[in-house]
Amino acid sequence: MKKLILSVLSLFITTSSFAGVHNYMLWSKPGVKVCFSDGKKEKRSGTVKWKQEKKDFVRTVIEQEYSKERTGIYFIGFEDCETASYKPNVIIYATNFTQALKGSRGNSTAGEGFFSVAKPYPSAKGAIELTSVTLNKTTIIHEFGHTAGLLHEQDHPDAYEAQSDCSSTSSKTVKKWGVGYTEFDEHSVMNYCYIHSSEGKEAGLSEGDIALLKTLYPY
């Protein structure tokens, strides 16, 4: 079992992955309620309307990878935000083709934020953007990993030595990780160097990812 040291000192981290997760980022309840939005009510630019088949795909992938038994934290709801029968914790947006041209496959907030991410939904303390035209399993799992509180594995202090052809670990990225971290996990779904390779393009949560999530959310 990998050692886990949670830092309570670095309170200014803005993104999350496998090592260096911070206490304040964790969700207070393991069943995180998510909903789909086209961004119109929020007047959010760069978003498009979700197609039903893509919403179904996102839900299927996430329910297979994240569950109370497997990861502790799990995601529920998956209704449209405007008509949802619950108060959402996380809003999922589909971004347009322009974002794909910029090279973006997705973005997300890290863990549970302090403030609402969208005025119409005051209970929403997190947001995920998934580029509609490049939607794929690994990106979905990766972005939900950030939402669960995980950091980019290629920024791990030991990543450069393990994959110098890809990682460019610097004092800046190490500082962002904080003082606590687990050992480097090459096959983490949070590791760009792995998921952007031919071997990892269909990657899911690694054994290390699952072990850490279960440790963080021992429900």
Side-chain angles (χ1 to χ4, degrees):
M1 171 67 75
K2 300 180 179 182
K3 288 186 177 180
L4 174 67
I5 306 174
L6 293 178
S7 169
V8 294
L9 300 179
S10 302
L11 296 179
F12 300 101
I13 189 169
T14 56
T15 60
S16 79
S17 187
F18 187 73
V21 178
H22 299 269
N23 286 349
Y24 77 95
M25 294 166 54
L26 303 182
W27 292 89
S28 55
K29 295 181 179 180
V32 179
K33 299 173 183 176
V34 303
C35 67
F36 295 99
S37 174
D38 60 11
K40 288 185 178 180
K41 191 173 182 179
E42 303 92 301
K43 297 181 180 179
R44 192 183 183 98
S45 62
T47 57
V48 296
K49 186 176 181 179
W50 278 98
K51 293 182 178 180
Q52 187 60 49
E53 62 268 24
K54 293 194 174 183
K55 290 192 291 184
D56 292 342
F57 179 55
V58 171
R59 180 172 188 168
T60 298
V61 168
I62 293 307
E63 289 184 340
Q64 288 176 346
E65 289 290 315
Y66 296 88
S67 66
K68 184 175 182 179
E69 295 73 26
R70 190 174 193 235
T71 54
I73 188 172
Y74 57 101
F75 301 90
I76 57 177
F78 296 96
E79 298 177 13
D80 290 330
C81 294
E82 286 198 51
T83 58
S85 59
Y86 52 86
K87 295 180 179 180
N89 305 125
V90 176
I91 302 174
I92 313 170
Y93 296 101
T95 55
N96 59 28
F97 187 69
T98 302
Q99 299 304 311
L101 292 177
K102 293 179 181 178
S104 175
R105 299 183 185 183
N107 288 290
S108 57
T109 53
E112 182 173 11
F114 295 109
F115 307 103
S116 171
V117 297
K119 191 174 181 179
Y121 308 106
S123 62
K125 302 297 179 62
I128 297 171
E129 291 183 347
L130 297 170
T131 306
S132 181
V133 295
T134 57
L135 192 64
N136 65 82
K137 169 189 170 182
T138 300
T139 298
I140 295 168
I141 299 168
H142 176 98
E143 298 304 337
F144 272 80
H146 281 313
T147 297
L150 302 183
L151 295 170
H152 277 139
E153 193 68 9
Q154 74 274 5
D155 291 339
H156 189 290
D158 297 331
Y160 181 75
E161 183 177 351
Q163 48 190 29
S164 59
D165 58 329
C166 175
S167 290
S168 56
T169 304
S170 65
S171 59
K172 182 178 180 180
T173 56
V174 171
K175 184 178 180 180
K176 185 177 72 172
W177 266 62
V179 298
Y181 53 86
T182 61
E183 64 186 69
F184 174 64
D185 179 12
E186 179 182 0
H187 296 105
S188 170
V189 77
M190 308 309 293
N191 182 12
Y192 275 172
C193 301
Y194 176 61
I195 65 175
H196 290 174
S197 69
S198 57
E199 180 186 0
K201 64 181 180 179
E202 289 295 320
L205 293 169
S206 70
E207 290 184 6
D209 293 331
I210 294 169
L212 177 58
L213 287 169
K214 190 64 177 175
T215 301
L216 295 174
Y217 299 97
Y219 301 102

